Amino acid sequence: MGSVSDQVERRLAQSLFKTPGSKVLEIGCGTGQYTSWLVQEGYEVTAVDISGEMMALAQKKIAALQETATQAKPVRWRHADITEILDQLETYDGIFSMTAFEFVPEPEMVLQKLFNRLNPGGCLLIGLIAGESAWSDYYEEAARQKPTSVFARATLYTKTEISSWPIGAPAQIGECLFFPPTIPTAAEALALEEKKEGNPGFVVARWCKG
């Protein structure tokens, strides 16, 4: 179900990310999956990740993309822990992060500081695995089975908890992954996704600066 869940998450996040200009900060770029999309959309991206290994893969991906997309703006890369460079950041029209804030201590405080780095009209968007869902149960069980798993360090928040964070503007919440990770076929998964029943396995939160 990895590719189906990725498709569903991507569609939701991309539909909600709107900015007044092209300057974007991406937090937790990983292997560059969303960096590629941001570059293709014409954004001027600063990409941050704590993993040099992942960032190296992202750089290869973007280099290959830029060979074919001659209009693509260059990406600025920062191999860093976002919590350690908050005071070094510029201002941005958009801040984008997918599946990173599960691993950030005190996310409310970090998000407040990031919100302050938005230009007027700017948008801060994060995507998170949602707590109290079939997907959080799946990842928590994986962490129990393998204590060295990255998910052993994750905190999975519910949409109610995320909505209560005092970031600087009311949160707008989008929901997806209404099918469990154990569902046997993509067709069944997408049928359940259409119904949107039960607790979502993934939430996208957006805060916009007036």
Side-chain angles (χ1 to χ4, degrees), residues 4 7-8 11 175-179 183 186-198:
V4 179
Q7 170 193 331
V8 168
R11 188 169 59 212
E175 305 171 0
C176 67
L177 292 197
F178 289 92
F179 56 89
I183 199 163
E188 289 171 273
L190 292 172
L192 284 179
E193 192 65 24
E194 286 294 316
K195 292 181 180 177
K196 299 190 182 305
E197 294 173 352

Side-chain angles (χ1 to χ4, degrees), residues 54 103 139-154:
M54 290 241 194
F103 307 98
Y139 287 115
E140 285 162 2
E141 180 57 29
R144 278 192 290 273
Q145 297 283 343
K146 187 182 178 186
T148 55
S149 160
V150 66
F151 286 99
R153 304 195 307 274

Side-chain angles (χ1 to χ4, degrees), residues 146-182:
K146 187 182 178 186
T148 55
S149 160
V150 66
F151 286 99
R153 304 195 307 274
T155 303
L156 305 181
Y157 302 96
T158 65
K159 62 179 180 179
T160 303
E161 289 173 315
I162 296 164
S163 295
S164 72
W165 292 345
I167 303 307
Q172 298 165 292
I173 303 286
E175 305 171 0
C176 67
L177 292 197
F178 289 92
F179 56 89
T182 52

Side-chain angles (χ1 to χ4, degrees), residues 5-150:
S5 62
D6 178 66
Q7 170 193 331
V8 168
E9 292 167 15
R10 176 183 280 261
R11 188 169 59 212
L12 176 62
Q14 292 177 350
S15 71
L16 290 175
F17 191 63
K18 312 291 181 192
T19 70
S22 63
K23 193 175 176 185
V24 168
L25 174 68
E26 183 188 11
I27 298 165
C29 68
T31 60
Q33 176 187 12
Y34 284 95
T35 319
S36 300
W37 170 69
L38 291 166
V39 167
Q40 287 172 302
E41 289 292 303
Y43 289 111
E44 180 187 339
V45 182
T46 296
V48 179
D49 203 280
I50 199 168
S51 168
E53 196 175 327
M54 290 241 194
M55 184 169 278
L57 294 172
Q59 288 169 326
K60 284 184 183 175
K61 192 175 289 182
I62 299 304
L65 174 65
Q66 287 170 333
E67 283 181 11
T68 55
T70 53
Q71 301 301 313
K73 296 182 174 75
V75 175
R76 294 177 62 193
W77 303 96
R78 294 207 62 175
H79 175 208
D81 180 337
I82 188 61
T83 64
E84 294 177 0
I85 63 167
L86 289 167
D87 295 335
Q88 302 168 27
L89 297 175
E90 300 174 20
T91 59
Y92 305 92
D93 299 305
I95 300 174
F96 184 93
S97 179
M98 289 290 279
T99 327
F101 273 83
E102 296 91 335
F103 307 98
V104 173
E106 300 182 89
E108 307 103 303
M109 181 271 288
V110 176
L111 289 165
Q112 285 167 12
K113 291 191 174 184
L114 289 169
F115 187 83
N116 290 337
R117 297 287 180 172
L118 285 175
N119 293 325
C123 168
L124 165 59
L125 181 145
I126 63 171
L128 298 162
I129 298 162
E132 297 181 9
S133 69
W135 288 84
S136 64
D137 291 346
Y138 173 81
Y139 287 115
E140 285 162 2
E141 180 57 29
R144 278 192 290 273
Q145 297 283 343
K146 187 182 178 186
T148 55
S149 160
V150 66

